[in-house]
Amino acid sequence: MNRSLTRLRLIFVALFVLGVVGVGVYQIYWAGPQKECEGRGDWWDPATRICGDVIYIPNITGRQPGESREAASRRAAAEKLSEEARARGE
């Protein structure tokens, strides 16, 4: 009876140690990169597990923050007309 309890105790201790190691590995290799990426303010894609840079849309489009597409088109057309007028010497 005593040997059975000792064996059972060892099995439970081994399962506990494996569980603790498993949780540690999960935190370091699975959950850790996501928290690190989001902590930097980047974008985390869970499907591919890739950390991507956040791209500010006005940097791509050249529009002012909060400016609509129509207003940006008008502004660009006005700037182009003023540049053409300056080039002609008006």
Side-chain angles (χ1 to χ4, degrees), residues 35-73:
K35 288 181 182 179
E36 181 181 330
C37 176
E38 291 175 346
R40 288 192 313 257
D42 291 337
W43 179 74
W44 179 256
D45 181 23
T48 59
R49 300 195 43 79
I50 293 176
C51 185
D53 293 331
V54 177
I55 300 173
Y56 191 52
I57 298 298
N59 291 345
I60 297 172
T61 62
R63 291 188 245 165
Q64 301 299 321
E67 185 178 33
S68 69
R69 189 181 313 167
E70 182 181 357
S73 297

Side-chain angles (χ1 to χ4, degrees), residues 74-88 90:
R74 285 187 195 143
R75 181 179 48 82
E79 289 173 0
K80 186 176 179 182
L81 285 175
S82 66
E83 286 177 14
E84 289 174 357
R86 247 184 279 135
R88 287 183 297 209
E90 295 178 5

